[in-house]
Amino acid sequence: MIVLEGRNLTKHFTSARGPRGRLGRRPPVRAVEDVSIALRAGSVSALVGESGCGKSTVARLLAQVYPATSGDLLLRGEPVRAHRGAAFRDYRRQVQLIFQDPFSSLNPFHRVRYHLARPLRIHGHARSDEQERTMVAELLERVSLTPVEQFMDKLPHELSGGQRQRVAIARALAVQPVALIADEPVSMLDVSIRLGVLRLLEELAKESGLALLYITHDIASARYFAEDITVMYAGRLIESGPSEALTQSPRHPYTRLLLESAPDPDRVTPPDATRHGEPPSLIAPPGGCRFHPRCTVALPVCSSEAPGRTELGEGRWTHCWQAETPDPVAR
Amino acid sequence: MNVLEIRDLGVDYLSQTGAVHAVADVSLDLRRGEILGLAGESGSGKSTLANAVARLLRPPAAITSGSVVYHRQDGTAVDVLALKRDELRAFRWKELAVVFQSAMNSLNPVSTVGAQIDDVLRIHAPKMSRKDRAERAVELLQRVGISADRRRSYPHELSGGMRQRAAIAIALALNPEVIIMDEPTTALDVVVQRDILHEIRALREEYGFAVVFITHDLSLLMEISDRIAIMYAGRVVETGTAEALHRTPRHPYTLGLLRSFPRLHGPREELLGIPGTPPDLRSLPPGCAFHPRCGRAMEECSTRLPLLTRGADGADGADGSDGEVACLLNGGRGVEEAS
Amino acid sequence: GCSGGGTGGSGGGEKAPPLIIHAVDAGTFQEDFNPYHLEGVNFGTSGMIHETLMYFNKLMPGEITPWLALKHEWSDKGKSVTFTLRQGVKWSDGKPFTADDVAYTFQMLKDNPELNRNALEITGTEALAPDKVRIDFENTSYAKLFNIAGNSPIVPKHLWEKQKDPVTFTNPKPVGTGPYTLSKFSAQLYEMVKNPSYWQPGKPEVPVLRFPAYTANAVQTALQQGEVDWAGAFVPDIQKIYVQGKPEQNKFFFPPEGVVTLLPNLTHPILSKPEVRQAISLAVDRDKIVRVAERGYTKVAHPTGVPMPGGEAYVPPEYKDAAFKVDLAKAKELLKGIDPAKLKFTLLVPSPFTDWVNAAQLIREDLAKVGITVDTRGVAFQDWVSKVGKGNYELSIRATAAGPTPYYQMRSMLFGGLAEPVGESATGNYQRWKDAETDRLIEEYAATEDEAEQQKATQGLGKIMVEKLPTLPLFYSPSWAQYRTNKYVGWPSEQDPYAMPSPYTSPDAAVVLLHLKPAAK
Amino acid sequence: MKIKIGFGILVFFALMALVGPLLIGADPAATSEDGLQGPSAEHWLGTTQTGQDILTQIVYGARISMGVGVLSAVIANLLAILVGLVGGYFGGAVDEVLSVLTNIFLVLPALPLIIVLAGYLPQRGVGSVAVVIAVTGWAWGARVLRAQTLSVRRRDFVQAARASGEGPLRIIFFEIMPVLLPVIATSFLATVVAAILAEAGLSFLGLADLSTVSWGSMLYFAQNGQALLIGAWWWFIPPGLCIALIGTGLALVNFGIDEIANPRLRTVKVKVRKART
Amino acid sequence: MRFLARRLGFYLLTAWAAITLNFLIPRLMPGDPVELLVARMKGNVEPEAIDAMRRAFGISDASLWQQYLDYLGNLARGELGRSITFFPTEVSTVIADSLPWTVALVGVATLISYLIGTSLGVLMAWKRGTWLDGVLPAATFMHAVPYFWVALALVFVFGVTLQWFPVSRAYGLDVMPGMTGEFAASVLYHAALPAITIVIASMADRILGMRNVMVTTLGEDYVVMAEAKGLTSRRVMWAYAARNAILPNITSFALSLGFVVGGSVLTEIVFSYPGIGSMLLKGVENEDFPLMQGIFLVISLAVLVANFLADLAYVVLDPRTRQESE
Ligand SMILES: Nc1ncnc2c1ncn2[C@@H]1O[C@H](COP(=O)(O)OP(=O)(O)OP(=O)(O)O)[C@@H](O)[C@H]1O
Ligand SMILES: Nc1ncnc2c1ncn2[C@@H]1O[C@H](COP(=O)(O)OP(=O)(O)OP(=O)(O)O)[C@@H](O)[C@H]1O
Ligand SMILES: [Mg+2]
Ligand SMILES: [Mg+2]
């Protein structure tokens, strides 16, 4: 069942960052363009893309941290309109975010208990101290921070990165959301402890029926933890499909490049040594398919017109003018 | 054939609350022209080791023991840690150059890329004319794939990948024998990272320098390095060729690391990871620092400190590698199963 | 350095040295030599450059010296005065001084009230002859002779009438009849040299005057280092800073100039009771105030407030030898009938006047002894001015200016016409004393030219001061004068008080300069 | 170490201000006949020209000087917190207006403004002087706090708090403010120093209430009494020294806080054992 | 460039705020200069004359708005009114006479203090752990010392006790202003102590500020890299570390100018220096509204201009701001 869906989401940042003010408006940053994405209950979807391509922006749009420039959000099929008030708060309650950096997502001044108790109180899940206590304990247990008593009164700096990320997850769970968006939840963690956190998220999706969006730049981990993967490039969606199919037979040249570039000691053939240039600027993105300047197989049409979505069956689709050709490189 | 020999090197960070043994008894050899990968979790002492070799440590860091010997091509040996101020200046960059993790921060934001190359040439090659220096700067930039007109750009005008290339160009300025690269690609995305790795390999072929390549991404190291050293809690726990380490890791920690990386190809193997968290360097567990997290720990592991020893059965030596491991399992040979 | 261009010609062949004068505190000078400007005008403009018709010695009430005018004559019951002018006087540009100049000067005052700070009610002026001029007034003006003749410097008609607006005219190149002319001006220093054609032949004997700018602080150092020869500065520790063990050379003379009184606000229900004022007066130890707060620089005031010695003729004979005495027992006795809880007053002092702040502190200590609680409050000068002016205070300390006779002081302190209602700014009689007898005496004085009658009226006022205590005299406000005798001698002194000794009183300062002679080597 | 010395100094002065007057008892304004005495057993720090005991004045003066300092720092920092945090958190037009206001106050020269304002003050009591100083002294803190708020606001825990439904006021005061406490403390201490200096300057110019004894007014009277020329060093040295010392104490604590926040600033004391670095 | 335009806009706004503030303060606060004048003359003025004076000082009863417009109009014509203290001298004349002294004194002293302070700060950060650390406590102490107290102490030691320097006025009694060497020497000699006061009192801030930024900068990778490049210490210290560390200090330096100017007001008063500070105090003491307003305005505008210059310097020194508009 689709719990949360974003349709044709677009986000242009017009307000200038930093000290630059109103005199002479700056051109907008076209961070996200025409992105549609759906999250299903009990399943993990991954959003993959290189740094700066707009993944976090999509996450924030979905969580309504800021409103989209255009596009719609649907929660359980119902369009979301409210931008303030109770309905809006209710929406936010249902969709929770987990941030990349566990070191900055917990307030260093508050104890674990406070972090978990506040959402319980705000949303009226806990009405007494006693109730609050048991619920906090439950939450900690759910994220495997045991013994519960010991963790409840710790300050964030007394926890390791992995433990903090678990607290952050517990806090998101405290509001009892239906969808959880994890924005690079493990990229700041050491390799050896990433696994635990990812497993926890996977379990939550499976067991509690949460809809989970796993955002990452590491396509290998997406292959392992998500049922389907959506690839993003320079603010636009590129390709999507079940994770195994997508990683093993990519259809879009960019996905292919991404897979080729990812370090992999098991690789049989060494990747070719052509230079691929830099990712484009989002202020003046390339016209047409945004990937065309780096694409080895670009056609003239690629630079003039953005390709529409081509359904490939089995839940796969791509935005590429050559989507019909199974493997343009091999040809 | 070693260009750099590190012996029993120890580095402490002194502080009021006690010394942090960031690097302890590390011995490593760097061979001429090879890429030596240095891997390990965050805080395991990789950067500290690199900085100690380049003599870049500042108080409160202090080298407490050991030696670093550099062998020139002509055979003379230099005790790096004993170099005087002027000798050290000449040693740095002529013999040994460094590329830092974040190129944005390692380039002077207020001067142009060209000027920063020029700076090095002016000090170390005082005979070069201004014109020659300018030409050399252009040549270097082009060599790493930056167009000549970028010479007058300030770092903030370059993209991340270009900055990293510029940093490499600066490192190449004097044809050093050794380049230390401390996480040169961590801040970049995979496609750009891939391009830069290619660049490094190609340049190495061309100039023949040796590289110490530091990263915590083991799979990356396995692709680029000739040999790899794994660090844990300030100590080298295993060395070996990339091949050997990939196929038959001998230290349980290496094995754990390898099993933490999801793979892109082949069957989806189960990821095991490593339980627990990295230790606090201020109060290391006694014996093998890894034993609290080690699934195979024996009683002995918590009391005896394993030393780095050559793989006992010499099996690894068969393909020319001479891997070492610091593990008490199997009589000091470490784990005996394929990854 | 330049001296007066070979004009210093008296005594010996050697050139007489310049005299360095500090009159008023100033960081910088503005180029303003208009004698009718109130502030900002440079010292020496009036007296040294522009002279008055007569000279009134405030130290010897009644002693009047003819100056530019030889004599005066009242007519029309004091509504008109005719001056006979000295002849042969020249302006420093060579033009002769005539009755036209005097007539012009007073006409200018009539036409420009901004300049007429003495509020002379001039109705007309007329030059009767080259040496005779008549000035007419709206009312009887006997009592204003000082203001007319002694306080209105005469300016040259031939130059001033060309000015568009005498109010804003700064007279940068002053031409006067006086003993000096301006030779150099800069923001921190100006210089005057002897007027070679001065009407008093052979005078002055000081060829060059230099006026450096010193602030109140800087002048202390200058005095200590012997930089200035003549100063009118308050010096906190005159022995250490100035005299420095050389009393024969580093002299000072602080004659009284007006009186400082403890002002009781007479609109206050308790303070309006004479017995309370009496008790306060008896409790205050004025000797100690003079010793500690005033550092012995002045004297306890005579109970009439009249400066003594010098003012004897203006003091009622029965109180000639009266003096303040502390009598705590009697003070307590007087306060018996009053609710002690109501004996609580705030004593307002301007905090920049450190000696008054200290005096207030002593008064507080003294009054505490008789059960009066005083809360001293030091406020900004402006604030004090406004509060006292409007009568928004309980107790305060304030000085009253002196005139050529004690009458001026009495009038300013006591005249009912000056007592504004509380809330409106007064210019005198701040305690708001209203008494028909007092006003009658003041009017009597003003209505006569006869000195004996004037003295009698003033004595009556003195009696009121002693018996009714409309305000409580504390001590005389000293006139500050330090002078060094190593260059010039002939300064005024207690023995020979021929003029106010302080360089900031004009035209007295010019009179002093005309008395100076080079010191014998 | 720095913090310890700094705290030592502050505690010393605080005790002096709080209990000193009780111990000494005497009236600081009380005059006596023995003026201008040098330090002696009877008058430890000598006397003024009018025989006031300087030690007594110093002790009482501590109350006023520190009182004004603390009072105006409190007012200034409340303003700074309000303006800085609110502007920084809400951003947009509110922030634009507030930060222009802040910058204006920042650029206008404070002491001349204080002098001018004090010049117009009808009542120059301790309170009004403190207010004037505060009015001119809040901008720096507001600017720093705004900048910090901007960066903290972007931190994930603030986003997370918002996502979990916290209201803006609670976020500002419970999430952001605690994190900024070191900054607030630094700004507070710096304002105290500035305020003490400003009060001293005002009193020295004779623009504060001179009938209350403060260190500044002591200096005013010392200057007026020409303590320098008389050689009465005991009159003008102690008040100035006290101001400087208390400022030093505050600065030391401040630098200590800075060093905790930014360990690089610490002076390196560890002797590096002959080791080669 | 856009950055500068924006700053310019801001400064204009601030200037307007200063001007308006200047207009409002005296009108919102009580006080009457004429009364004060009368008081200073110990009541020697008759009430009739007072009204006339009031008129002469241009104290008006027009509506506030009308007064504001008049005020702006006058300002535009450079008219600041007439000083009451120095009536009828124009305020602009008073300022023109005193401003050069302050500008020269503060300018030179600030420059010296900035150069020494910055260099010392750089050195102290560079040579941490050496004897130079000993400067730190001293700087901390000096940082908290009031300007006027430093001035008093200098006067006491070098003026009164040793008598090396004059302690008041701007030039000697025996020279008149002019383009003479004698006058110049006298001016320098008289400016020595006030300048030293400002240098001493303002230097500590510079030292501490520079040291802190510099220490942070020294930890930056590009400094470590410069060292690794084998550059000479001098070059690393100045061209890499100090060059970057100065940038954040420029703004704080510009802002601190306001404090220095404030401090110099106190300094001038101690030394009876004929600058704008002495005038300001005089104006305040005499409730000379036009003078106070004029001086405050001039000081504010001067500080604004200095800040703008600092912004310019920033743009010149920091390539990142130059590239502002993509
Ligand atoms: N508030 C904002 N104002 C202006 N531009 C923004 C803002 N937030 C993000 N951007 C820009 O939008 C683009 C996409 O940013 P986003 O953070 O979504 O990327 P990302 O894919 O999450 O990158 P990363 O992997 O680095 O987290 C970037 O170019 C970024 O600079
Ligand atoms: N200045 C310092 N003072 C005290 N301890 C330090 C300091 N710098 C580093 N350390 C400690 O030394 C240890 C090794 O640090 P180092 O930077 O060498 O690790 P690393 O392996 O490079 O880690 P990373 O992968 O995060 O770069 C860490 O535990 C760190 O906490
Ligand atoms: Mg992101
Ligand atoms: Mg590192």
Side-chain angles (χ1 to χ4, degrees), chain B residues 217-284:
Chain B
D217 188 346
L218 197 54
S219 37
L220 175 78
L221 268 192
M222 299 214 157
E223 275 201 50
I224 188 178
S225 329
D226 301 317
R227 279 190 321 130
I228 292 176
I230 307 281
M231 283 189 81
Y232 186 78
R235 289 175 183 275
V236 174
V237 293
E238 181 168 7
T239 67
T241 60
E243 262 299 302
L245 233 64
H246 183 206
R247 265 190 299 106
T248 54
R250 301 214 145 254
H251 198 280
Y253 175 63
T254 317
L255 188 64
L257 276 184
L258 282 171
R259 289 187 177 173
S260 304
F261 283 99
R263 307 224 153 143
L264 259 185
H265 299 284
R268 277 170 54 153
E269 284 166 17
E270 198 199 351
L271 294 181
L272 296 171
I274 308 172
T277 51
D280 175 8
L281 289 191
R282 245 173 291 255
S283 55
L284 281 180

Side-chain angles (χ1 to χ4, degrees), chain A residues 27 41 81 87 143 165 175 182-183 204-205 209 215 274 292 305 323:
Chain A
R81 296 245 160 62
V143 296
Q165 203 59 301
V175 305
D183 188 359
L204 288 173
I215 295 180
T274 43
H292 83 263
E305 236 175 290

Side-chain angles (χ1 to χ4, degrees), chain A residues 34-240:
Chain A
D34 194 21
V35 165
S36 303
I37 196 162
L39 306 188
R40 272 165 250 275
S43 116
V44 182
S45 313
L47 183 62
V48 178
E50 58 195 22
S51 142
C53 73
K55 305 183 295 290
S56 301
T57 308
V58 170
R60 280 157 207 229
L61 288 178
L62 289 176
Q64 289 270 306
V65 171
Y66 33 62
T69 309
S70 68
D72 302 306
L73 278 176
L74 290 87
L75 186 63
R76 295 203 197 81
E78 301 277 321
V80 182
R81 296 245 160 62
H83 287 296
R84 57 187 74 233
F88 180 61
R89 220 167 321 125
D90 186 59
Y91 177 86
R92 278 199 167 174
R93 188 182 69 70
Q94 310 227 26
V95 182
Q96 279 290 303
L97 262 179
I98 294 168
F99 296 89
Q100 172 173 16
D101 184 357
F103 296 88
S104 84
S105 66
L106 299 181
N107 189 324
F109 270 79
H110 297 314
R111 297 185 184 280
V112 169
R113 181 208 300 272
Y114 179 92
H115 280 108
L116 302 186
R118 278 304 299 167
L120 291 175
R121 283 287 168 138
I122 296 169
H123 298 285
H125 299 313
R127 300 192 183 279
S128 68
D129 288 355
E130 189 46 43
Q131 206 180 356
E132 176 189 300
R133 216 187 138 67
T134 47
M135 290 184 81
V136 167
E138 262 172 42
L139 282 168
L140 284 173
E141 219 150 302
R142 255 175 101 189
V143 296
S144 323
L145 284 179
T146 43
V148 169
E149 296 305 315
Q150 200 185 320
F151 281 101
M152 225 183 269
D153 289 315
K154 287 205 173 188
L155 284 168
H157 73 87
E158 296 168 315
L159 303 175
S160 74
Q163 289 166 341
R164 288 187 215 201
Q165 203 59 301
R166 286 168 198 266
V167 175
I169 294 171
R171 174 177 54 190
L173 296 178
V175 305
Q176 304 175 1
V178 295
L180 199 56
I181 296 163
D183 188 359
E184 311 213 26
V186 294
S187 68
M188 303 281 282
L189 300 179
D190 262 322
V191 193
S192 62
I193 50 182
R194 282 181 188 175
L195 221 51
V197 174
L198 286 178
R199 282 215 187 104
L200 171 66
L201 287 172
E202 198 180 19
E203 269 165 39
L204 288 173
K206 296 262 147 62
E207 285 162 22
S208 323
L210 275 171
L212 195 90
L213 181 66
Y214 169 54
I215 295 180
T216 182
H217 56 248
D218 178 9
I219 194 165
S221 72
R223 176 192 179 205
Y224 271 59
F225 288 97
E227 272 149 50
D228 43 22
I229 297 178
T230 305
V231 183
M232 209 177 158
Y233 179 78
R236 283 182 179 275
L237 296 188
I238 286 286
E239 178 170 10
S240 175

Side-chain angles (χ1 to χ4, degrees), chain D residues 13 45 54-55 58 215 218-219 232-245, chain E residues 149:
Chain D
F13 279 105
L45 290 178
I54 291 182
L55 181 63
I58 287 280
W215 295 336
M218 288 179 73
L219 282 167
W233 52 267
W234 60 86
W235 194 1
F236 76 89
I237 297 262
L241 206 59
C242 283
I243 295 173
L245 274 180
Chain E
W149 195 62

